[in-house]
Every structure is written in structure tokens, then in C-alpha cells.
Amino acid sequence: MSLRLGDVAPDFSAETTAGPVNFHEWMGDQWTILFSHPADFTPVCTTELGYTAKLKEEFAKRNAKAIAVSVDSLDSHNGWVKDIEETQNVSMNFPIIADPEKKVATLYGMMHPNESEKFTVRSVFIIAPDKKIKLTITYPASTGRNFDEILRVLDSLQLTANYNVATPVNWNEGEDVVIAPSISDEDAKVKFPKGFKTIKPYLRTTPQPNK
Ligand code: BEZ
């Protein structure tokens, strides 16, 4: 059965470009972005990993970090890292898991045999510090992901974990949010002292509460 939101992210041990990793230990108390790329020395993956390295500070602001995986060997990863650094003008600053036996890829359902027998699809898992899966995304090999979207989702996940709100369509940090329907108007007046707008009884907006 595939992994679902709320499931505990499976633990594993693996070799990575930053040394051996036990996944849960490596996560510590941070948010983790675990993402697969189909293969080393491929153009889209090269741009994705380079961009992710550039986001290190943005991840750090959110107590988050990234770890990539593909079914290539450690030697292959180490060779490719040089190309990523050269072509994307970055210093690689997060681990890439070597998974030539497809152990991690299989554990996380990253192999989609009707799409490719050999390579993973582009999966993303956002995992909270309690080790529970909070987001999954699956893209085909031919489409590079939008890693700014991953930051946006992290902002939403971290906000909604602490306040009785949800984030509306295309929301970005700093914009108004919606009040959870389970909160009565009376409670909303207390919980959201900046006030709220009632567009429909089920659609109430309020300024982002932690701003
Ligand atoms: C790429 O990263 O460019 C790629 C990888 C596998 C298939 C197609 C494209």
C-alpha cells in the first residue's frame, strides 16, 4: 500500500554523499524534504538539485532540510555533484542517498513501473519533526518541480499546525488566511484579535495571526 498523509515516514539506513545516514536520526527535530530524482547526469535533475542547494537558508529559517535520493551509486552521485556545482554555480550542501538496490525508492513508492522500470518518478515528501508525512507530490520525469512551492507549503504547514486556520488558494506568507469552520464566531473573536471578515458563514478571513 502506498504511503499516505499522517503515516510515519519509514525509517532506513543508507549511504549518502554526506556519509552513512539513519534517516530518523538524521531528521532530528527538523522538518525534512525527502525527494527522488530519476537519474544522475540528467538535465532537469541537475537544475533541481542546484536550486535546492540555493534554498538552504530558506529551509534553515523554517527549521527544515533536504535530502535527495536516486537509484544511482555513491560513486555516480559524487561525480555528478561536481557537475551540479559547476553548472548551477552552487556548493552542494545536502545529502544525496545512493539507492542502487532501490530499497528507499521501494519503501517510499517512488518506483512507478508503468512509467519506468528503471528509474524513480519525481516524488516529494514533506515530513514533520514527529516523523509523520505531511505532504506528498508526484511529478513525471519530464517535468521539473517548483521548489518555491515546497517552501510555500512548509509555511502553510507550520502556520496551520499552530493556529486554527487554513491557507486559501495561492496563499503566500503574510497574506490573509481562512478561519477553520470548526471555530465559532464567538471563539474567533478571542482567537483572532485582529478581527475577521465573514464572506459566508463558512468563509471567514483574518490577517495571518503570527504576523
Ligand atoms: C532529467 O532530469 O532531465 C530527466 C531524467 C529522466 C528522464 C527525463 C529527464
Side-chain angles (χ1 to χ4, degrees):
M1 184 163 8
S2 58
L3 292 170
R4 294 184 292 201
L5 302 191
D7 290 351
V8 172
D11 198 14
F12 59 84
S13 295
E15 289 297 327
T16 80
T17 50
V21 155
N22 168 265
F23 186 52
H24 281 192
E25 251 173 49
W26 178 84
M27 284 184 67
D29 65 354
Q30 292 190 280
W31 292 73
T32 293
I33 295 91
L34 168 67
F35 67 104
S36 59
H37 59 274
D40 295 355
F41 298 102
T42 51
V44 177
C45 300
T46 301
T47 61
E48 285 190 331
L49 270 74
Y51 194 79
T52 303
K54 288 179 185 163
L55 291 181
K56 189 175 175 91
E57 272 183 29
E58 291 301 321
F59 287 138
K61 278 186 211 162
R62 293 161 175 85
N63 188 33
K65 57 185 175 179
I67 186 164
V69 59
S70 80
V71 297
D72 298 288
S73 68
L74 193 56
D75 275 355
S76 166
H77 286 344
N78 284 330
W80 182 42
V81 160
K82 295 188 193 106
D83 283 4
I84 299 172
E85 294 188 332
E86 178 194 325
T87 62
Q88 307 304 302
N89 202 20
V90 288
S91 175
M92 280 298 282
N93 50 29
F94 62 90
I96 311 175
I97 297 165
D99 191 30
E101 290 169 6
K102 304 186 172 72
K103 284 187 192 157
V104 176
T106 304
L107 201 55
Y108 277 81
M110 294 162 169
M111 300 304 301
H112 292 209
N114 291 330
E115 181 79 355
S116 167
E117 293 269 348
K118 275 170 65 182
F119 305 121
T120 65
V121 290
R122 295 186 198 280
S123 299
V124 184
F125 292 85
I126 298 186
I127 305 163
D130 65 2
K131 316 290 186 284
K132 296 218 173 127
I133 296 172
K134 296 294 181 185
L135 169 111
T136 65
I137 310 180
T138 306
Y139 271 46
S142 52
T143 305
R145 289 157 286 199
N146 182 338
F147 280 79
D148 295 330
E149 169 65 0
I150 308 299
L151 294 178
R152 193 189 75 87
V153 177
L154 272 173
D155 288 339
S156 172
L157 287 169
Q158 293 179 353
L159 177 69
T160 59
N162 291 316
Y163 296 89
N164 295 114
V165 297
T167 57
V169 62
N170 292 350
W171 174 85
N172 278 300
E173 179 75 4
E175 295 176 358
D176 287 359
V177 297
V178 297
I179 297 172
S182 57
I183 305 297
S184 68
D185 279 354
E186 262 182 16
D187 285 349
K189 281 178 200 152
V190 178
K191 282 180 187 289
F192 304 107
K194 292 176 194 157
F196 61 91
K197 239 189 284 174
T198 303
I199 298 155
K200 290 280 180 190
Y202 60 85
L203 176 54
R204 295 165 297 172
T205 61
T206 188
Q208 184 173 329
N210 62 347
K211 284 282 159 186

